[in-house]
Amino acid sequence: MIAPELTPQESAVAQQQTNQSLGIAEKNLNAAQADLVSKIRGFIKDAREAAQITDWSRARGLAKKAQVLSEELTGSL
Protein backbone atom coordinates (compact mmCIF):
# COMPACT_ATOMS: atom_id res chain seq x y z
CA MET A 1 0.00 0.00 0.00
CA ILE A 2 1.29 3.45 -0.89
CA ALA A 3 1.06 6.04 1.86
CA PRO A 4 0.69 9.72 1.04
CA GLU A 5 3.79 11.81 1.59
CA LEU A 6 3.57 13.89 4.74
CA THR A 7 6.09 16.44 5.91
CA PRO A 8 7.93 15.55 9.12
CA GLN A 9 5.73 18.04 10.97
CA GLU A 10 2.52 16.56 9.48
CA SER A 11 3.75 13.08 10.40
CA ALA A 12 4.42 14.17 13.98
CA VAL A 13 0.96 15.75 14.29
CA ALA A 14 -0.72 12.71 12.74
CA GLN A 15 1.23 10.41 15.08
CA GLN A 16 0.17 12.46 18.11
CA GLN A 17 -3.47 12.53 16.97
CA THR A 18 -3.37 8.78 16.31
CA ASN A 19 -2.04 8.04 19.78
CA GLN A 20 -4.54 10.39 21.40
CA SER A 21 -7.51 8.90 19.53
CA LEU A 22 -6.37 5.35 20.32
CA GLY A 23 -6.01 6.20 24.00
CA ILE A 24 -9.50 7.68 24.16
CA ALA A 25 -11.00 4.79 22.20
CA GLU A 26 -9.41 2.17 24.44
CA LYS A 27 -10.56 3.99 27.59
CA ASN A 28 -14.14 4.13 26.31
CA LEU A 29 -14.50 0.40 25.58
CA ASN A 30 -17.18 -1.56 27.44
CA ALA A 31 -17.65 -5.32 27.01
CA ALA A 32 -21.43 -5.05 27.41
CA GLN A 33 -21.80 -4.11 23.75
CA ALA A 34 -19.53 -6.76 22.26
CA ASP A 35 -20.25 -6.18 18.56
CA LEU A 36 -19.42 -2.50 18.70
CA VAL A 37 -16.44 -3.23 20.92
CA SER A 38 -15.20 -5.73 18.34
CA LYS A 39 -15.44 -3.12 15.57
CA ILE A 40 -13.62 -0.57 17.71
CA ARG A 41 -10.87 -3.06 18.50
CA GLY A 42 -10.55 -3.82 14.78
CA PHE A 43 -10.07 -0.13 13.99
CA ILE A 44 -7.55 0.16 16.83
CA LYS A 45 -5.62 -2.86 15.55
CA ASP A 46 -5.61 -1.54 11.97
CA ALA A 47 -4.56 1.93 13.15
CA ARG A 48 -1.66 0.47 15.11
CA GLU A 49 -0.59 -1.59 12.08
CA ALA A 50 -0.70 1.50 9.86
CA ALA A 51 1.29 3.40 12.48
CA GLN A 52 3.96 0.69 12.51
CA ILE A 53 4.60 1.28 8.82
CA THR A 54 4.39 5.07 9.38
CA ASP A 55 1.25 5.44 7.27
CA TRP A 56 0.08 8.22 9.55
CA SER A 57 -2.73 9.39 7.29
CA ARG A 58 -4.38 5.97 7.37
CA ALA A 59 -3.56 5.49 11.07
CA ARG A 60 -5.15 8.82 11.94
CA GLY A 61 -8.34 7.99 10.00
CA LEU A 62 -8.71 4.57 11.59
CA ALA A 63 -7.93 5.91 15.06
CA LYS A 64 -10.55 8.63 14.62
CA LYS A 65 -13.14 5.99 13.62
CA ALA A 66 -12.27 4.02 16.75
CA GLN A 67 -12.60 7.16 18.86
CA VAL A 68 -15.98 8.15 17.38
CA LEU A 69 -17.43 4.66 17.80
CA SER A 70 -16.13 4.41 21.35
CA GLU A 71 -17.68 7.77 22.20
CA GLU A 72 -21.00 6.59 20.72
CA LEU A 73 -20.71 3.46 22.82
CA THR A 74 -20.14 5.35 26.05
CA GLY A 75 -22.94 7.77 25.19
CA SER A 76 -25.39 4.90 24.81
CA LEU A 77 -24.71 3.46 28.27
Side-chain angles (χ1 to χ4, degrees):
M1 185 180 261
I2 299 174
E5 288 289 322
L6 298 176
T7 67
Q9 183 178 5
E10 289 171 328
S11 289
V13 169
Q15 180 180 8
Q16 180 183 13
Q17 290 172 337
T18 298
N19 291 334
Q20 181 180 19
S21 291
L22 289 174
I24 292 168
E26 288 175 326
K27 251 197 295 191
N28 290 337
L29 289 178
N30 182 327
Q33 296 175 331
D35 184 49
L36 192 51
V37 170
S38 176
K39 288 178 185 176
I40 294 166
R41 289 189 191 277
F43 284 132
I44 290 170
K45 176 184 171 286
D46 292 346
R48 290 195 188 286
E49 288 174 359
Q52 284 182 335
I53 61 169
T54 64
D55 184 349
W56 293 113
S57 258
R58 184 167 176 261
R60 177 175 42 196
L62 291 164
K64 191 65 174 175
K65 288 179 183 182
Q67 178 184 349
V68 168
L69 286 179
S70 70
E71 288 170 347
E72 287 179 19
L73 176 65
T74 58
S76 70
L77 299 176

Coordinates of all heavy atoms in Angstrom, one line a residue:
M1 N 0.8 -1.2 0.0 CA 0.0 0.0 0.0 C 0.9 1.2 0.0 O 1.9 1.3 0.7 CB -0.9 0.0 1.2 CG -1.9 1.1 1.2 SD -2.9 1.1 2.7 CE -4.3 0.3 2.0
I2 N 0.5 2.2 -0.8 CA 1.3 3.4 -0.9 C 0.7 4.5 0.0 O -0.5 4.8 0.0 CB 1.3 4.0 -2.3 CG1 2.0 2.9 -3.3 CG2 2.0 5.3 -2.4 CD1 1.9 3.3 -4.7
A3 N 1.5 5.0 0.9 CA 1.1 6.0 1.9 C 1.3 7.4 1.3 O 2.4 7.6 0.7 CB 1.8 5.9 3.2
P4 N 0.4 8.4 1.5 CA 0.7 9.7 1.0 C 1.9 10.3 1.8 O 2.1 10.0 2.9 CB -0.6 10.5 1.4 CG -1.3 9.7 2.3 CD -0.8 8.3 2.2
E5 N 2.6 11.2 1.0 CA 3.8 11.8 1.6 C 3.4 12.9 2.5 O 2.6 13.8 2.2 CB 4.6 12.4 0.5 CG 5.4 11.4 -0.4 CD 6.5 10.7 0.4 OE1 7.2 11.4 1.2 OE2 6.7 9.5 0.2
L6 N 3.8 12.8 3.8 CA 3.6 13.9 4.7 C 4.9 14.5 5.1 O 5.9 13.8 5.2 CB 2.9 13.3 6.0 CG 1.5 12.7 5.8 CD1 1.1 12.1 7.1 CD2 0.5 13.7 5.3
T7 N 4.9 15.8 5.4 CA 6.1 16.4 5.9 C 6.4 15.9 7.3 O 5.5 15.3 7.9 CB 5.9 18.0 6.0 OG1 4.9 18.2 7.1 CG2 5.5 18.6 4.7
P8 N 7.6 16.0 7.8 CA 7.9 15.5 9.1 C 7.0 16.1 10.2 O 6.6 15.5 11.1 CB 9.4 16.0 9.3 CG 10.0 16.0 7.9 CD 8.8 16.5 7.1
Q9 N 6.6 17.4 10.0 CA 5.7 18.0 11.0 C 4.3 17.4 10.9 O 3.7 17.1 11.9 CB 5.6 19.5 10.7 CG 4.8 20.3 11.7 CD 4.7 21.8 11.5 OE1 5.3 22.3 10.5 NE2 4.1 22.5 12.4
E10 N 3.8 17.2 9.7 CA 2.5 16.6 9.5 C 2.5 15.1 10.1 O 1.5 14.7 10.7 CB 2.1 16.5 8.0 CG 1.8 17.9 7.4 CD 1.6 17.8 5.9 OE1 2.3 17.0 5.2 OE2 0.8 18.6 5.4
S11 N 3.6 14.4 9.9 CA 3.7 13.1 10.4 C 3.7 13.1 11.9 O 3.0 12.3 12.5 CB 5.0 12.4 9.9 OG 5.0 12.1 8.6
A12 N 4.4 14.1 12.5 CA 4.4 14.2 14.0 C 3.0 14.5 14.5 O 2.6 13.9 15.5 CB 5.4 15.2 14.4
V13 N 2.3 15.4 13.9 CA 1.0 15.7 14.3 C 0.0 14.6 14.1 O -0.7 14.2 15.0 CB 0.4 17.0 13.5 CG1 -1.0 17.2 13.7 CG2 1.2 18.2 13.9
A14 N 0.1 13.9 13.0 CA -0.7 12.7 12.7 C -0.4 11.6 13.7 O -1.3 10.9 14.2 CB -0.5 12.2 11.3
Q15 N 0.8 11.4 14.1 CA 1.2 10.4 15.1 C 0.6 10.8 16.4 O 0.0 9.9 17.1 CB 2.7 10.3 15.2 CG 3.2 9.3 16.2 CD 4.7 9.2 16.3 OE1 5.4 10.0 15.7 NE2 5.2 8.2 17.0
Q16 N 0.7 12.0 16.8 CA 0.2 12.5 18.1 C -1.3 12.3 18.1 O -1.9 11.8 19.1 CB 0.5 13.9 18.4 CG 0.0 14.5 19.7 CD 0.3 15.9 19.9 OE1 0.7 16.6 19.0 NE2 0.1 16.4 21.1
Q17 N -2.0 12.7 17.0 CA -3.5 12.5 17.0 C -3.9 11.1 17.0 O -4.9 10.7 17.6 CB -4.0 13.2 15.7 CG -3.9 14.7 15.8 CD -4.3 15.4 14.5 OE1 -4.2 14.8 13.4 NE2 -4.6 16.7 14.6
T18 N -3.1 10.2 16.3 CA -3.4 8.8 16.3 C -3.3 8.2 17.7 O -4.2 7.5 18.2 CB -2.4 8.0 15.4 OG1 -2.5 8.5 14.1 CG2 -2.6 6.5 15.5
N19 N -2.2 8.5 18.4 CA -2.0 8.0 19.8 C -3.1 8.6 20.7 O -3.6 7.8 21.6 CB -0.6 8.4 20.3 CG 0.4 7.6 19.6 OD1 0.2 6.5 19.1 ND2 1.6 8.2 19.5
Q20 N -3.5 9.8 20.6 CA -4.5 10.4 21.4 C -5.9 9.7 21.1 O -6.6 9.3 22.1 CB -4.7 11.9 21.1 CG -5.7 12.6 22.0 CD -5.8 14.1 21.7 OE1 -5.3 14.5 20.6 NE2 -6.4 14.8 22.6
S21 N -6.2 9.5 19.9 CA -7.5 8.9 19.5 C -7.5 7.5 20.0 O -8.6 7.0 20.5 CB -7.8 8.9 18.0 OG -8.0 10.3 17.6
L22 N -6.4 6.7 19.9 CA -6.4 5.4 20.3 C -6.5 5.3 21.8 O -7.2 4.4 22.3 CB -5.1 4.7 19.9 CG -4.9 4.4 18.4 CD1 -3.5 3.9 18.0 CD2 -6.0 3.5 17.9
G23 N -5.9 6.2 22.5 CA -6.0 6.2 24.0 C -7.4 6.4 24.4 O -8.0 5.7 25.3
I24 N -8.1 7.4 23.8 CA -9.5 7.7 24.2 C -10.4 6.5 23.8 O -11.3 6.1 24.6 CB -10.0 9.0 23.4 CG1 -9.2 10.2 24.0 CG2 -11.5 9.1 23.6 CD1 -9.4 11.4 23.2
A25 N -10.2 5.9 22.6 CA -11.0 4.8 22.2 C -10.9 3.6 23.2 O -11.8 3.0 23.5 CB -10.6 4.4 20.8
E26 N -9.6 3.3 23.5 CA -9.4 2.2 24.4 C -10.0 2.4 25.8 O -10.6 1.5 26.4 CB -7.9 1.9 24.5 CG -7.4 1.2 23.3 CD -5.9 1.0 23.3 OE1 -5.2 1.8 23.9 OE2 -5.5 0.0 22.7
K27 N -10.0 3.7 26.3 CA -10.6 4.0 27.6 C -12.1 3.9 27.6 O -12.7 3.5 28.6 CB -10.2 5.4 28.0 CG -9.2 5.5 29.1 CD -9.2 6.9 29.7 CE -8.7 7.9 28.8 NZ -8.4 9.2 29.5
N28 N -12.7 4.1 26.4 CA -14.1 4.1 26.3 C -14.8 2.8 26.0 O -16.0 2.6 26.0 CB -14.6 5.1 25.2 CG -14.3 6.5 25.6 OD1 -14.2 6.9 26.8 ND2 -14.2 7.4 24.6
L29 N -14.0 1.7 25.9 CA -14.5 0.4 25.6 C -15.3 -0.2 26.8 O -14.9 0.0 27.9 CB -13.4 -0.6 25.2 CG -12.7 -0.3 23.8 CD1 -11.6 -1.3 23.6 CD2 -13.7 -0.4 22.7
N30 N -16.4 -0.9 26.4 CA -17.2 -1.6 27.4 C -17.6 -2.9 26.9 O -18.3 -2.9 25.8 CB -18.4 -0.7 27.8 CG -19.2 -1.3 28.9 OD1 -19.4 -2.5 29.0 ND2 -19.8 -0.5 29.7
A31 N -17.4 -4.0 27.5 CA -17.6 -5.3 27.0 C -19.1 -5.6 26.9 O -19.5 -6.6 26.2 CB -17.0 -6.4 27.9
A32 N -20.0 -4.8 27.5 CA -21.4 -5.0 27.4 C -22.0 -5.0 26.0 O -23.0 -5.6 25.7 CB -22.2 -4.1 28.3
Q33 N -21.4 -4.2 25.1 CA -21.8 -4.1 23.8 C -20.7 -4.7 22.8 O -20.0 -4.0 22.1 CB -22.1 -2.7 23.4 CG -23.3 -2.1 24.3 CD -23.6 -0.7 24.0 OE1 -22.7 0.1 23.7 NE2 -24.8 -0.3 24.2
A34 N -20.6 -6.0 22.9 CA -19.5 -6.8 22.3 C -19.3 -6.5 20.8 O -18.2 -6.4 20.3 CB -19.7 -8.2 22.5
D35 N -20.4 -6.4 20.0 CA -20.2 -6.2 18.6 C -19.6 -4.9 18.3 O -18.6 -4.8 17.5 CB -21.6 -6.2 17.9 CG -21.5 -6.1 16.4 OD1 -20.7 -6.9 15.8 OD2 -22.2 -5.3 15.7
L36 N -20.0 -3.8 18.9 CA -19.4 -2.5 18.7 C -18.0 -2.5 19.2 O -17.1 -1.9 18.6 CB -20.3 -1.4 19.4 CG -19.9 0.0 19.0 CD1 -19.8 0.3 17.5 CD2 -20.9 1.0 19.6
V37 N -17.8 -3.1 20.4 CA -16.4 -3.2 20.9 C -15.5 -3.9 19.9 O -14.4 -3.5 19.7 CB -16.5 -4.0 22.3 CG1 -15.1 -4.3 22.8 CG2 -17.2 -3.1 23.3
S38 N -16.0 -5.0 19.3 CA -15.2 -5.7 18.3 C -14.8 -4.8 17.2 O -13.7 -4.9 16.7 CB -16.0 -6.9 17.9 OG -15.3 -7.6 16.9
K39 N -15.7 -4.0 16.7 CA -15.4 -3.1 15.6 C -14.4 -2.1 16.0 O -13.5 -1.8 15.3 CB -16.7 -2.4 15.1 CG -17.7 -3.3 14.3 CD -18.9 -2.6 14.0 CE -19.9 -3.6 13.3 NZ -21.2 -2.9 13.0
I40 N -14.6 -1.6 17.2 CA -13.6 -0.6 17.7 C -12.2 -1.2 17.8 O -11.2 -0.6 17.4 CB -14.1 0.0 19.1 CG1 -15.4 0.8 18.9 CG2 -13.0 0.8 19.7 CD1 -16.1 1.1 20.2
R41 N -12.2 -2.4 18.4 CA -10.9 -3.1 18.5 C -10.2 -3.3 17.1 O -9.0 -3.2 17.0 CB -11.0 -4.4 19.3 CG -11.3 -4.2 20.7 CD -11.2 -5.5 21.5 NE -11.7 -5.4 22.8 CZ -11.0 -5.0 23.9 NH1 -9.8 -4.6 23.7 NH2 -11.5 -4.9 25.1
G42 N -11.1 -3.6 16.1 CA -10.6 -3.8 14.8 C -9.9 -2.5 14.2 O -8.9 -2.6 13.6
F43 N -10.6 -1.4 14.4 CA -10.1 -0.1 14.0 C -8.8 0.2 14.7 O -7.8 0.7 14.2 CB -11.1 1.0 14.2 CG -12.2 1.0 13.2 CD1 -13.5 1.1 13.6 CD2 -11.9 0.9 11.8 CE1 -14.5 1.2 12.6 CE2 -12.9 0.9 10.9 CZ -14.3 1.1 11.3
I44 N -8.8 -0.1 16.0 CA -7.6 0.2 16.8 C -6.4 -0.7 16.3 O -5.3 -0.2 16.1 CB -7.8 -0.1 18.3 CG1 -8.7 0.9 18.9 CG2 -6.5 -0.2 19.1 CD1 -9.3 0.6 20.3
K45 N -6.7 -2.0 16.1 CA -5.6 -2.9 15.5 C -5.1 -2.4 14.2 O -3.9 -2.3 14.0 CB -6.2 -4.3 15.4 CG -5.2 -5.3 14.8 CD -5.9 -6.6 14.6 CE -5.1 -7.6 13.9 NZ -5.1 -7.3 12.4
D46 N -6.0 -2.0 13.3 CA -5.6 -1.5 12.0 C -4.8 -0.2 12.1 O -3.9 0.0 11.3 CB -6.8 -1.4 11.1 CG -7.5 -2.7 10.7 OD1 -6.8 -3.8 10.9 OD2 -8.6 -2.7 10.2
A47 N -5.3 0.7 13.0 CA -4.6 1.9 13.1 C -3.1 1.7 13.6 O -2.2 2.3 13.2 CB -5.3 2.8 14.1
R48 N -3.0 0.8 14.6 CA -1.7 0.5 15.1 C -0.8 -0.1 14.0 O 0.4 0.2 13.9 CB -1.7 -0.5 16.3 CG -2.3 0.2 17.5 CD -2.1 -0.6 18.8 NE -2.8 -0.1 19.9 CZ -2.5 1.0 20.6 NH1 -1.4 1.8 20.2 NH2 -3.2 1.4 21.6
E49 N -1.4 -1.0 13.2 CA -0.6 -1.6 12.1 C -0.2 -0.5 11.1 O 1.0 -0.5 10.6 CB -1.4 -2.7 11.4 CG -1.6 -3.9 12.2 CD -2.5 -5.0 11.6 OE1 -3.1 -4.7 10.5 OE2 -2.7 -6.0 12.2
A50 N -1.1 0.4 10.8 CA -0.7 1.5 9.9 C 0.4 2.4 10.5 O 1.3 2.8 9.8 CB -2.0 2.3 9.5
A51 N 0.3 2.6 11.8 CA 1.3 3.4 12.5 C 2.7 2.7 12.4 O 3.7 3.4 12.3 CB 0.9 3.7 13.9
Q52 N 2.7 1.4 12.5 CA 4.0 0.7 12.5 C 4.7 0.9 11.2 O 5.9 0.8 11.2 CB 3.7 -0.8 12.8 CG 3.5 -1.1 14.2 CD 3.3 -2.6 14.5 OE1 3.0 -3.4 13.6 NE2 3.6 -3.0 15.7
I53 N 4.0 1.1 10.1 CA 4.6 1.3 8.8 C 4.6 2.8 8.5 O 4.8 3.1 7.3 CB 3.9 0.4 7.7 CG1 2.5 0.8 7.5 CG2 4.1 -1.0 8.0 CD1 1.8 0.2 6.3
T54 N 4.4 3.6 9.5 CA 4.4 5.1 9.4 C 3.4 5.6 8.3 O 3.7 6.6 7.7 CB 5.8 5.7 9.2 OG1 6.3 5.2 7.9 CG2 6.7 5.3 10.3
D55 N 2.3 4.9 8.1 CA 1.2 5.4 7.3 C 0.3 6.2 8.2 O -0.8 5.8 8.6 CB 0.5 4.3 6.6 CG -0.6 4.7 5.6 OD1 -0.9 6.0 5.6 OD2 -1.1 3.9 4.9
W56 N 0.8 7.4 8.5 CA 0.1 8.2 9.6 C -1.3 8.7 9.1 O -2.2 8.9 9.9 CB 1.0 9.4 10.0 CG 2.1 8.8 10.8 CD1 3.5 8.9 10.4 CD2 2.1 8.1 12.0 NE1 4.2 8.2 11.3 CE2 3.4 7.7 12.3 CE3 1.1 7.7 12.9 CZ2 3.8 7.0 13.5 CZ3 1.4 7.0 14.0 CH2 2.7 6.6 14.3
S57 N -1.4 9.0 7.8 CA -2.7 9.4 7.3 C -3.8 8.3 7.5 O -4.9 8.6 8.0 CB -2.6 9.7 5.8 OG -2.6 11.0 5.5
R58 N -3.5 7.1 7.2 CA -4.4 6.0 7.4 C -4.6 5.7 8.9 O -5.7 5.5 9.3 CB -3.8 4.7 6.7 CG -4.8 3.5 6.7 CD -4.3 2.4 5.8 NE -5.2 1.3 5.9 CZ -4.9 0.2 6.6 NH1 -3.7 0.1 7.2 NH2 -5.7 -0.8 6.7
A59 N -3.5 5.7 9.6 CA -3.6 5.5 11.1 C -4.5 6.5 11.7 O -5.3 6.2 12.6 CB -2.2 5.5 11.7
R60 N -4.3 7.8 11.3 CA -5.1 8.8 11.9 C -6.6 8.6 11.6 O -7.5 8.7 12.5 CB -4.7 10.2 11.4 CG -5.5 11.3 11.9 CD -5.0 12.7 11.5 NE -4.6 12.7 10.1 CZ -3.8 13.7 9.6 NH1 -3.4 14.7 10.3 NH2 -3.4 13.6 8.3
G61 N -6.9 8.2 10.4 CA -8.3 8.0 10.0 C -9.0 6.8 10.8 O -10.1 6.9 11.3
L62 N -8.2 5.7 10.9 CA -8.7 4.6 11.6 C -8.8 4.8 13.1 O -9.8 4.4 13.7 CB -7.8 3.4 11.3 CG -7.8 2.8 9.9 CD1 -6.6 1.9 9.7 CD2 -9.1 2.0 9.7
A63 N -7.9 5.6 13.6 CA -7.9 5.9 15.1 C -9.1 6.8 15.4 O -9.8 6.7 16.4 CB -6.6 6.6 15.5
K64 N -9.4 7.7 14.4 CA -10.5 8.6 14.6 C -11.9 7.8 14.6 O -12.8 8.1 15.4 CB -10.5 9.7 13.5 CG -11.5 10.8 13.8 CD -11.1 11.6 15.1 CE -12.0 12.8 15.3 NZ -11.7 13.4 16.6
K65 N -11.9 6.8 13.7 CA -13.1 6.0 13.6 C -13.3 5.2 14.9 O -14.4 5.1 15.5 CB -13.0 5.0 12.5 CG -13.2 5.6 11.1 CD -13.1 4.6 10.0 CE -13.2 5.2 8.6 NZ -13.1 4.2 7.6
A66 N -12.2 4.7 15.5 CA -12.3 4.0 16.8 C -12.7 5.0 17.9 O -13.6 4.6 18.7 CB -10.9 3.4 17.1
Q67 N -12.2 6.2 17.8 CA -12.6 7.2 18.9 C -14.1 7.5 18.8 O -14.8 7.5 19.8 CB -11.8 8.4 18.7 CG -12.2 9.5 19.7 CD -11.4 10.8 19.5 OE1 -10.4 10.9 18.7 NE2 -11.8 11.9 20.1
V68 N -14.6 7.8 17.6 CA -16.0 8.1 17.4 C -16.9 7.0 17.8 O -17.9 7.2 18.5 CB -16.2 8.6 15.9 CG1 -17.7 8.7 15.6 CG2 -15.5 9.9 15.6
L69 N -16.6 5.8 17.4 CA -17.4 4.7 17.8 C -17.4 4.4 19.3 O -18.4 4.2 19.9 CB -17.0 3.4 17.1 CG -17.4 3.3 15.6 CD1 -16.8 2.0 15.0 CD2 -18.9 3.4 15.4
S70 N -16.2 4.6 19.9 CA -16.1 4.4 21.4 C -16.9 5.5 22.1 O -17.5 5.2 23.1 CB -14.7 4.4 21.8 OG -14.1 5.7 21.7
E71 N -16.9 6.7 21.6 CA -17.7 7.8 22.2 C -19.2 7.5 22.0 O -20.0 7.8 23.0 CB -17.3 9.1 21.6 CG -15.9 9.5 22.1 CD -15.3 10.8 21.4 OE1 -15.9 11.2 20.3 OE2 -14.3 11.3 21.9
E72 N -19.6 7.0 20.9 CA -21.0 6.6 20.7 C -21.4 5.5 21.7 O -22.5 5.5 22.3 CB -21.3 6.1 19.3 CG -21.3 7.2 18.3 CD -21.5 6.7 16.9 OE1 -22.0 5.5 16.7 OE2 -21.2 7.4 15.9
L73 N -20.5 4.6 21.9 CA -20.7 3.5 22.8 C -20.9 4.0 24.2 O -21.9 3.6 24.9 CB -19.5 2.5 22.8 CG -19.6 1.3 23.8 CD1 -20.7 0.4 23.5 CD2 -18.3 0.5 23.7
T74 N -20.0 4.8 24.7 CA -20.1 5.4 26.0 C -21.4 6.3 26.2 O -21.9 6.3 27.3 CB -18.9 6.1 26.5 OG1 -18.6 7.2 25.6 CG2 -17.7 5.2 26.5
G75 N -21.7 6.9 25.1 CA -22.9 7.8 25.2 C -24.2 7.0 25.3 O -25.2 7.5 25.7
S76 N -24.2 5.7 24.8 CA -25.4 4.9 24.8 C -25.6 4.1 26.1 O -26.6 3.5 26.3 CB -25.3 3.9 23.6 OG -24.4 2.9 23.9
L77 N -24.6 4.2 27.0 CA -24.7 3.5 28.3 C -25.5 4.2 29.3 O -25.6 5.4 29.4 CB -23.3 3.1 28.8 CG -22.5 2.3 27.8 CD1 -21.1 2.1 28.4 CD2 -23.1 0.9 27.6

